[in-house]
């Protein structure tokens, strides 16, 4: 069934953003195709986006958010213990309201959902929307730079999750799970001939399955922790860079040193690849190899191999009536010729020996020392580049160390980075236990294995397969198990082929969009697996990453045109070069049926002009800022459309939007 979801508006009260109410509808009650909300940094833009995600996903329902997280959303200098965020949506033209009531005293959020017959407690969206309204999927249409980065990260499964959810290929996996559950049910209800043997094996199988569930849950928690640590680490590194940049002279010196390090790393990597290529030749590793190979060629030349006459000549001669000398060939002579033909080389041998001699000449030349001397020279160059890199790195480290010792804010940021790096390392170490196989596990003694010491998920899965076979033998369900395995293989194969075909089409179309966005850039998507894999590189600049994210998601949403979702973007053009900004502006009206962007005034250049042309001016403009910005208060009040709240101004005016010049407020 086709699904069209639109955001009609929202309101916020008592939260860490100015009280406001946004109405995204035009006069005919239909939502604006494009809504631009201009909010200076520090106004509560991040808070508003967090609330939108929570309202769309139910992320704060129950005890999902801890008390400190909830209390941090409380309006500063407010005596009220309550807050409210209400989101209004439409599903295929029918109204839905999600209400979040904050109790800052207890640190709890209460959801209420209104649709159909009335209001219900909790987060209970219609069934048609539930696969789009969950914490994992909401991030794909409430989009920011962090998601763009995650799409290219091997530690995240976001790209694959988006494809699976929109095209529902994951249902094939669910069918495979149902097949397994059916087999479990059948074996559970079968009375075995040997009840004690069945019970013992079934209990052991249940223990292994329980262990697998525990391991998967532990791994999932560690994966989430690693993702959170990566996100925190990125923010702390940004904070560190901001603190460094506060002193202009220091920032310039560090930037110069970082460029020197990056240039040296590039030179080292390039030279290392060349050295590795040279080391693949054994005669380059040692002149002894080269001398032996030349000796082989000289030996073949000395004994005049290969001979010009080949075995096939004598075989053909034996079939003739007369010899080349004119004598008649009888059966006795014919037999002797065929026997002695074995002493000569066949044509394949001749070709091989000639190829060997040519290859030795081409590879080594005339001197056995030439290749090894060239390799030694390349290694010396590499050593020099490594030393240069180390010197550049030492200079950079010294500059940063001096900055840290002289500036407490820089030191605090550095200490937090160190803590997060240690946490990242410990988490990756903990995750490594679940990978690969445990070679110490002996399946011939499977009933004596201490499961609490087994962490390798693949090993536990292998043990479950063995125990399932044993249970099947006892219960007489081997034939049923074979059918289950065959059906699961078919479903797994169908899932794999469907995913490959869909992702290949999405990749090709997304690359076409990337070419339009960045015509002079060679960044392209090579594959869509657990993340977006770029051709010939592991990542790109901030602007490249964001552009790739736009291209991928816009292609994804357009491909799945049976579902129309809104697209909410934080800072749609801030880190992008002006040329690409114009291309992004042209793309936006074609991304989806509703586009909502949060931006700052410095983003308007080039982006807004191209957006207006591409959208024929069908845009809603809203500027939201705090009342504490005194120099803009009078101008806001002079606009008849301005809405004044307890602590902010909301101005729905295109002219005011264009004239507004403020990128940051005090948070």
């Amino acid at each position: 069934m086709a699904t069209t979801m639109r955001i009609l508006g929202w309101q916020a009260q008592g939260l860490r953003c100015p009280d406001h109410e946004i109405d995204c509808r035009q006069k005919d009650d239909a939502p604006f195709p494009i809504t631009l909300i201009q909010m200076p940094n520090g106004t509560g833009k991040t808070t508003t986006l967090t609330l939108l995600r929570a309202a769309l996903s139910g992320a704060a329902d129950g005890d999902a958010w801890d008390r400190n997280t909830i209390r941090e959303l409380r309006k500063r200098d407010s005596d009220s213990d309550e807050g409210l965020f209400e989101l209004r949506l439409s599903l295929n033209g029918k109204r839905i309201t999600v209400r979040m009531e904050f109790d800052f005293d207890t640190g709890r959020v209460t959801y209420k959902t209104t649709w159909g017959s009335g209001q219900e407690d909790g987060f209970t969206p219609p069934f048609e929307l539930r696969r789009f309204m969950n914490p994992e999927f909401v991030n794909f249409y409430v989009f920011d730079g962090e998601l763009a980065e995650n799409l290219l990260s091997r530690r995240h499964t976001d790209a694959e999750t988006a494809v699976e959810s929109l095209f529902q290929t994951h249902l094939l996996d669910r069918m495979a799970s149902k097949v397994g559950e059916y087999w479990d049910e059948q074996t559970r209800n079968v009375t075995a001939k040997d009840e004690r043997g069945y019970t013992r094996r079934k209990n052991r199988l249940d223990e292994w399955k329980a262990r697998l569930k525990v391991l998967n849950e532990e791994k999932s928690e560690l994966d989430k922790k690693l993702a959170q640590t990566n996100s925190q680490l990125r923010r702390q590194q940004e904070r560190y860079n901001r603190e460094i940049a506060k002193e202009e002279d220091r920032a310039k010196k560090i930037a110069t040193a970082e460029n020197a390090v990056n240039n040296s790393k590039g030179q080292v990597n390039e030279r290392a690849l060349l050295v590795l290529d040279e080391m693949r030749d054994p005669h380059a590793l040692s002149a002894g190899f080269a001398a032996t190979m030349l000796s082989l060629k000289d030996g073949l030349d000395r004994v005049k191999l290969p001979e010009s006459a080949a075995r096939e000549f004598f075989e053909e001669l034996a079939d003739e009536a007369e010899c080349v000398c004119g004598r008649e060939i009888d059966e006795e002579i014919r037999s002797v010729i065929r026997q002695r033909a074995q002493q000569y080389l066949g044509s394949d041998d001749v070709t091989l020996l000639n190829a060997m001699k040519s290859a030795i000449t081409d590879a080594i030349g005339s001197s056995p020392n030439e290749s090894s001397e060239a390799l030694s020279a390349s290694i010396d160059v590499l050593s020099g580049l490594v030393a240069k890199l180390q010197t550049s790195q030492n200079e950079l480290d010294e500059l940063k160390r001096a900055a840290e010792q002289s500036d407490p804010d820089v030191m605090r940021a550095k200490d937090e980075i160190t803590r997060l790096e240690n946490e990242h390392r410990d988490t990756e170490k903990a995750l490594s236990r679940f990978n690969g196989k445990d070679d110490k596990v002996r399946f011939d003694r499977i009933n004596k294995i201490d499961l609490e010491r087994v962490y390798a998920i693949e090993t536990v899965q292998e043990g479950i397969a063995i125990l399932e076979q044993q249970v099947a033998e006892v219960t007489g369900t081997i034939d049923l198990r074979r059918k289950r395995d065959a059906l699961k293989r078919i479903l797994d194969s169908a899932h794999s082929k469907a995913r490959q075909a869909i992702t290949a089409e999405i990749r090709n179309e997304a690359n076409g969009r990337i070419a339009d966005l960045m015509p002079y850039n060679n960044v392209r998507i090579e594959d869509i697996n657990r993340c977006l894999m770029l051709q010939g590189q592991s990542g790109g600049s901030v602007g490249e990453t964001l552009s790739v994210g736009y291209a991928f998601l816009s292609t994804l949403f357009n491909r799945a045109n049976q579902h129309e979702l809104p697209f909410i973007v934080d800072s749609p053009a801030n880190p992008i070069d002006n040329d690409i900004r114009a291309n992004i502006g042209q793309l936006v009206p074609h991304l989806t049926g509703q586009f909502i962007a949060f931006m700052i005034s410095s983003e308007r250049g080039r982006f807004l002009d191209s957006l207006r042309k591409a959208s024929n001016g069908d845009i809603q403009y809203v500027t939201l800022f705090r009342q504490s910005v005194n120099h803009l208060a009078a101008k806001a009040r002079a606009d008849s459309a301005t809405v004044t709240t307890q602590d902010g101004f909301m101005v729905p005016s295109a002219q005011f939007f264009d004239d507004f010049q403020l990128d940051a407020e005090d948070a």
Side-chain angles (χ1 to χ4, degrees):
M1 179 181 176
T3 301
T4 300
M5 185 173 80
R6 295 287 181 260
I7 292 178
L8 303 179
W10 66 85
Q11 65 169 317
Q13 295 177 7
L15 299 166
R16 195 171 175 175
C17 57
D19 289 351
H20 66 277
E21 182 171 1
I22 302 285
D23 190 343
C24 299
R25 295 172 299 171
Q26 305 180 72
K27 292 180 180 179
D28 62 357
D29 218 33
F32 278 96
I34 299 173
T35 295
L36 302 179
I37 302 171
Q38 190 168 215
M39 295 176 67
N41 291 324
T43 308
K45 182 172 59 173
T46 300
T47 298
T48 305
L49 284 159
T50 298
L51 293 168
L52 282 169
R53 288 191 183 98
L56 285 164
S57 66
D61 198 15
D63 297 323
W65 283 3
D66 60 55
R67 294 180 179 180
N68 290 333
T69 299
I70 293 170
R71 287 168 177 161
E72 285 177 0
L73 294 173
R74 182 178 186 172
K75 189 183 294 294
R76 288 190 174 183
D77 303 323
S78 174
D79 297 329
S80 176
D81 290 330
E82 297 179 350
L84 168 69
F85 188 81
E86 186 175 274
L87 177 65
R88 300 183 298 279
L89 306 167
S90 72
L91 170 63
N92 296 335
K94 296 180 180 179
R95 292 286 295 268
I96 303 170
T97 301
V98 179
R99 185 180 179 91
M100 298 171 62
E101 297 176 352
F102 291 77
D103 185 336
F104 297 117
D105 186 34
T106 61
R108 291 186 63 83
V109 178
T110 302
Y111 278 82
K112 293 182 179 179
T113 309
T114 304
W115 65 280
S117 58
Q119 188 180 83
E120 297 180 11
D121 291 335
F123 182 73
T124 58
F127 178 78
E128 306 96 298
L129 283 180
R130 288 182 186 175
R131 64 191 175 103
F132 304 124
M133 297 182 71
N134 63 71
E136 288 75 25
F137 192 78
V138 160
N139 284 333
F140 292 111
Y141 58 92
V142 184
F143 178 82
D144 59 16
E146 186 173 346
L147 170 63
E149 182 180 327
N150 289 348
L151 287 172
L152 301 179
S153 171
R154 296 176 185 272
R155 297 189 178 97
H156 295 79
T157 59
D158 292 318
E160 190 175 42
T161 300
V163 175
E164 295 268 335
S165 297
L166 272 177
F167 293 92
Q168 301 190 73
T169 55
H170 61 288
L171 294 180
L172 292 167
D173 268 350
R174 291 187 187 177
M175 290 173 64
S177 298
K178 290 294 182 182
V179 170
E181 291 172 10
Y182 174 78
W183 186 82
D184 290 341
E185 186 65 29
Q186 293 301 306
T187 58
R188 187 179 301 115
N189 295 328
V190 171
T191 302
K193 295 178 181 178
D194 183 353
E195 186 65 33
R196 286 180 299 176
Y198 169 78
T199 302
R200 184 179 65 252
R201 296 184 184 188
K202 189 66 171 67
N203 289 342
R204 190 59 172 163
L205 174 59
D206 290 341
E207 290 173 4
W208 278 68
K209 286 184 175 180
R211 180 60 176 169
L212 179 62
K213 182 180 179 182
V214 168
L215 293 177
N216 281 326
E217 289 173 350
E218 289 181 3
K219 183 177 183 299
S220 178
E221 288 300 316
L222 286 171
D223 282 332
K224 290 178 182 178
K225 181 179 179 181
L226 186 64
Q228 292 172 354
T229 303
N230 286 333
S231 178
Q232 293 172 359
L233 185 57
R234 181 180 61 80
R235 287 196 291 269
Q236 282 301 320
Q237 288 168 338
E238 290 174 353
R239 176 190 168 197
Y240 179 86
N241 292 335
R242 286 197 303 271
E243 296 297 339
I244 287 283
K246 285 181 178 178
E247 188 176 312
E248 186 176 353
D249 183 58
R250 178 177 69 192
K252 287 182 178 178
K253 289 180 180 178
I254 289 178
T256 301
E258 286 178 338
N259 287 334
V261 169
N262 291 332
N263 289 336
S264 293
K265 283 182 178 178
Q267 293 172 357
V268 167
N269 289 338
E270 185 178 347
R271 177 56 63 173
L273 290 174
L274 292 174
V275 169
L276 284 173
D277 283 339
E278 293 180 37
M279 290 175 66
R280 290 189 176 96
D281 297 326
H283 55 274
L285 292 174
S286 170
F289 284 119
T292 303
M293 293 165 70
L294 283 175
S295 176
L296 171 63
K297 177 183 176 298
D298 292 341
L300 291 172
D301 290 338
R302 188 169 54 254
V303 297
K304 298 181 179 180
L305 286 176
E307 292 281 0
S308 58
R311 183 191 311 157
E312 283 78 2
F313 168 78
F314 298 100
E315 294 284 356
E316 293 171 0
L317 180 63
D319 293 330
E320 298 294 330
E322 293 182 351
C323 179
V324 293
C325 64
R327 294 172 56 190
E328 181 181 352
I329 299 177
D330 57 21
E331 288 303 321
E332 182 180 356
I333 295 174
R334 205 182 310 278
S335 175
V336 171
I337 292 174
R338 286 196 172 105
Q339 289 176 1
R340 295 188 177 183
Q342 302 302 318
Q343 301 173 12
Y344 295 86
L345 299 174
S347 58
D348 290 342
D349 300 321
V350 171
T351 301
L352 174 63
L353 290 176
N354 280 325
M356 284 177 55
K357 292 166 66 175
S358 297
I360 291 172
T361 301
D362 293 341
I364 299 175
S366 57
S367 171
N369 297 319
E370 185 177 337
S371 296
S372 60
E373 289 173 355
L375 176 60
S376 296
S378 292
I379 293 174
D380 290 341
V381 173
L382 178 59
S383 298
L385 292 173
V386 170
K388 180 182 176 183
L389 171 59
Q390 189 60 55
T391 300
S392 299
Q393 187 65 55
N394 290 339
E395 291 175 357
L396 176 60
D397 292 343
E398 186 59 36
L399 287 170
K400 288 185 175 180
R401 193 177 299 111
E404 292 159 10
Q405 292 174 351
S406 64
D407 191 331
D409 290 335
V410 177
M411 178 61 79
R412 280 192 290 271
K414 175 61 177 177
D415 289 343
E416 183 63 14
I417 288 173
T418 301
R419 184 190 70 79
L420 289 169
E421 286 176 340
N422 291 335
E423 183 177 308
H424 180 277
R425 184 177 60 254
D426 293 342
T427 305
E428 283 198 324
K429 183 178 179 181
L431 275 168
S432 66
R433 298 184 302 175
F434 303 102
N435 300 327
K437 288 187 178 182
D438 189 339
D439 296 331
K440 296 179 182 178
V441 174
R442 292 180 54 187
F443 290 116
D444 57 339
R445 304 180 63 187
I446 194 167
N447 292 317
K448 296 183 179 181
I449 294 172
D450 184 0
L451 271 177
E452 296 300 317
R453 296 186 177 183
V454 181
Y455 288 90
I457 289 177
E458 189 176 347
T459 297
V460 177
Q461 290 171 333
E462 188 174 347
I464 288 172
I466 293 171
L467 289 166
E468 284 181 341
Q469 178 69 24
Q470 292 179 0
V471 170
E473 290 171 355
V474 174
T475 58
T477 56
I478 292 178
D479 186 55
L480 181 61
R481 183 174 184 270
R482 287 173 181 156
K483 292 178 180 178
R484 179 205 70 172
D485 292 343
L487 185 52
K488 287 184 72 174
R489 283 195 299 270
I490 291 170
L491 291 169
D492 290 342
S493 175
H495 183 207
S496 176
K497 290 179 179 178
R499 185 175 62 239
Q500 289 174 7
I502 291 170
T503 54
E505 289 188 20
I506 292 172
R507 177 200 63 206
N508 295 339
E509 291 189 21
N511 282 335
R513 290 180 182 270
I514 294 172
D516 292 337
L517 289 172
M518 298 182 290
Y520 305 109
N521 195 308
N522 290 325
V523 174
R524 296 294 183 270
I525 299 172
E526 181 174 356
D527 192 18
I528 302 171
N529 196 346
R530 300 185 70 83
C531 65
L532 301 184
M533 313 288 290
L534 299 183
Q535 290 179 357
Q537 59 190 89
S538 59
S541 67
V542 176
E544 289 173 340
T545 300
L546 195 54
S547 299
V548 169
Y550 272 124
F552 169 68
L553 291 177
S554 62
T555 301
L556 195 62
F557 291 147
N558 285 334
R559 287 285 304 173
N561 52 19
Q562 67 271 32
H563 304 297
E564 295 186 15
L565 304 176
F567 205 21
I568 305 168
V569 180
D570 178 20
S571 298
N574 190 34
I576 302 177
D577 294 338
N578 280 336
D579 290 341
I580 302 177
R581 280 190 184 189
N583 294 336
I584 292 289
Q586 293 172 4
L587 173 67
V588 162
H590 308 291
L591 288 174
T592 185
Q594 184 182 26
F595 181 86
I596 300 173
F598 290 81
M599 55 191 300
I600 57 178
S601 58
S602 60
E603 289 183 78
R604 296 194 303 254
R606 296 295 294 276
F607 170 73
L608 190 54
D609 290 340
S610 64
L611 175 61
R612 281 173 172 156
K613 291 177 183 178
S615 63
N616 297 319
D618 198 8
I619 303 173
Q620 178 186 26
Y621 301 89
V622 177
T623 303
L624 180 63
F625 61 101
R626 299 184 192 277
Q627 289 190 21
S628 57
V629 185
N630 297 323
H631 67 284
L632 292 173
K635 187 173 182 180
R637 290 191 178 97
D639 193 306
S640 60
T642 297
V643 177
T644 304
T645 63
Q646 178 184 348
D647 56 348
F649 293 110
M650 190 182 71
V651 189
S653 162
Q655 187 62 50
F656 192 92
F657 190 98
D658 288 344
D659 295 340
F660 188 83
Q661 293 294 335
L662 185 66
D663 275 350
E665 296 181 14
D666 294 329

